[in-house]
Amino acid sequence: MDSTRRERATLALAVWGVLVSQVLLYPGVSDLVTALGGGQGEYDLSAGMLFLVAEFASFVAFSSVWGALSDALGRRTWLIVAGAVGGAASYVALLALATLPWLDATFGAVLAVRFVGGAMTIGAFSLSITMLADLSGGNGRNMGAAGIAIGLGAALGSVVGGQLTTIDPLAPLYASAASLTAVALLVTTVTDRTPDSTRVGVGVVLKKLAARPAFAVPYAFGFIDRMTAGFFALVGVYYFREVFGVSAAVAGGVLALFFVPFALLQYPLGSLSDRVGRFVPVVAGSMLYGVAIIAVGLAPVFELAAGLMVVVGVFGALVAPATMALVTDLAESGERGAALGGFNVFGSLGFLAGFLVGGVVADVVGYLPSFLVVGFAEVAIALVALRAVKRLDGIDATQTPSSAD
């Protein structure tokens, strides 16, 4: 194996390890939050929402900070190591908080640790993906490796996390700390390179949108698509556990029914969009994706709802790579990194919105209305942007900016 292939595999494993560490907590989040002194009962959705939002708000806030620090130091590898070690330490700190005798008064401290841990973990995650993008051998191959690592990491994390929760609600914290420690050790074997000087923050993204309004189309789809993923990570787990009475292990398996097809079909369905264009996968795929989400909320029995999660994963895999490909279609070669960075900024905001919107609606009104809100959001963006996607379909990077707007 040549050095580029070896480093691609190593960095993909690092991305995979970070996702495993994050998703391990999702299937048993209600049990974990209770064990850490949060919530008023086993299925207190608001406490689980705060627990996940604290980390993801930190992701959004600190993603560009790590990029800026990487630029200033001219290094990435040891920053990834520092982020992974810091993230592992945050899980150990949560375990320490769980031993305090005044546990009921520590949930604010738990949320603070989650925020700090998120600030560290996003460094390991975002810079690992950036180092993948730095490699030669083709952006498609490098980003494809990242996409598969993300999907399979989420799938394994959901299954193993659910199983561990049945042993001990705190067990996923040990596993998450171990996973990030392994990431830190693994990344030390990768050659450091001079970073690309392009940084992408919210300000940069807004300037890009002002100059190229056409980017608003895939960015909007990216926001809504990631919102649905955040929704299932929080509300989906609570829904299956409370409504159908399944264990954390079974809830983790249900999440995997979504993540596995979503991961494995990214490459073939992305290739399909190269052949048939972006319009059908993005517009028709989003409509079908939204309908499938609503169907999960309407399913009267567990077996049907779980089976529909596979359908949701398939349609999600149809939309996601085509939407990202639309970003690269619109971007000239010299701005693709910044354009994709903007897409990820909107995606991170969407994931956070999925926690907040889904969690609040489910907590205040009920689970079915939350499924309707998120599902119809997917259908609505497809209908609203239908003509815009049709107009942009087929544009490539050789066109001038004005011809794409």
Side-chain angles (χ1 to χ4, degrees):
M1 180 183 293
D2 62 39
S3 61
T4 299
R5 291 175 62 192
R6 180 186 64 79
E7 291 186 3
R8 181 183 298 116
T10 301
L11 290 167
L13 277 173
V15 173
W16 176 83
V18 175
L19 258 293
V20 169
S21 73
Q22 183 183 354
V23 180
L24 279 168
L25 276 57
Y26 290 176
V29 66
S30 60
D31 308 77
L32 178 58
V33 166
T34 300
L36 291 171
Q40 303 301 315
E42 184 180 6
Y43 297 116
D44 186 344
L45 184 57
S46 61
M49 178 181 68
L50 289 174
F51 186 77
L52 297 185
V53 164
E55 181 187 47
F56 229 89
S58 187
F59 284 3
V60 173
F62 285 93
S63 179
S64 59
V65 173
W66 284 96
L69 186 59
S70 172
D71 289 348
L73 298 178
R75 295 288 185 271
R76 297 205 205 280
T77 298
W78 289 104
L79 290 177
I80 295 173
V81 172
V85 170
S90 75
Y91 290 116
V92 174
L94 290 177
L95 287 165
L97 287 174
T99 66
L100 294 178
W102 52 88
L103 185 62
D104 290 344
T106 63
F107 195 61
V110 166
L111 296 180
V113 169
R114 284 287 285 172
F115 186 83
V116 174
M120 301 303 292
T121 303
I122 192 59
F125 179 73
S126 63
L127 292 181
S128 293
I129 292 180
T130 303
M131 283 191 75
L132 268 171
D134 290 340
L135 295 176
S136 59
N139 288 333
R141 186 173 299 174
N142 294 332
M143 291 301 97
I148 291 173
I150 290 169
L152 293 182
L156 182 70
S158 62
V159 172
V160 174
Q163 295 289 341
L164 289 174
T165 298
T166 62
I167 300 171
D168 183 345
L170 298 176
L173 295 176
Y174 290 96
S176 294
S179 181
L180 285 177
T181 301
V183 168
L185 294 172
L186 186 66
V187 172
T188 60
T189 67
V190 178
T191 302
D192 213 335
R193 291 179 169 81
T194 302
D196 186 340
S197 62
T198 301
R199 298 195 302 269
V200 182
V202 175
V204 174
V205 173
L206 293 177
K207 289 179 181 178
K208 180 168 290 297
L209 280 174
R212 297 285 304 278
F215 281 115
V217 176
Y219 286 3
F221 276 97
F223 177 88
I224 298 296
D225 293 344
R226 298 282 185 91
M227 184 178 76
T228 63
F231 170 81
F232 276 112
L234 173 67
V235 178
V237 169
Y238 275 82
Y239 169 71
F240 278 101
R241 295 201 62 188
E242 184 173 1
V243 173
F244 295 113
V246 302
S247 67
V250 174
V254 171
L255 277 185
L257 292 176
F258 166 76
F259 285 125
V260 170
F262 183 79
L264 297 181
L265 294 176
Q266 292 267 333
Y267 184 83
L269 292 181
S271 298
L272 175 67
S273 78
D274 288 337
R275 294 195 300 271
V276 304
R278 315 301 182 201
F279 179 78
V280 172
V282 171
V283 173
S286 290
M287 290 182 182
L288 293 170
Y289 186 38
V291 170
I293 291 169
I294 294 170
V296 172
L298 290 171
V301 295
F302 169 74
E303 291 77 9
L304 178 58
L308 286 168
M309 289 293 283
V310 178
V311 179
V312 173
V314 171
F315 288 139
L318 178 63
V319 176
T323 306
M324 191 174 295
L326 186 58
V327 176
T328 61
D329 292 343
L330 295 173
E332 298 179 41
S333 58
E335 65 174 5
R336 284 178 181 169
L340 286 170
F343 181 82
N344 288 327
V345 167
F346 271 80
S348 295
L349 292 171
F351 214 106
L352 184 59
F355 291 149
L356 292 171
V357 174
V360 169
V361 173
D363 199 34
V364 174
V365 186
Y367 286 115
L368 179 56
S370 68
F371 276 91
L372 292 173
V373 168
V374 174
F376 279 123
E378 272 289 343
V379 175
I381 187 64
L383 293 173
V384 170
L386 187 152
R387 291 185 178 179
V389 177
K390 185 68 174 177
R391 186 174 68 252
L392 297 175
D393 190 16
I395 286 176
D396 59 49
T398 63
Q399 291 182 287
T400 62
S402 60
S403 63
D405 293 338

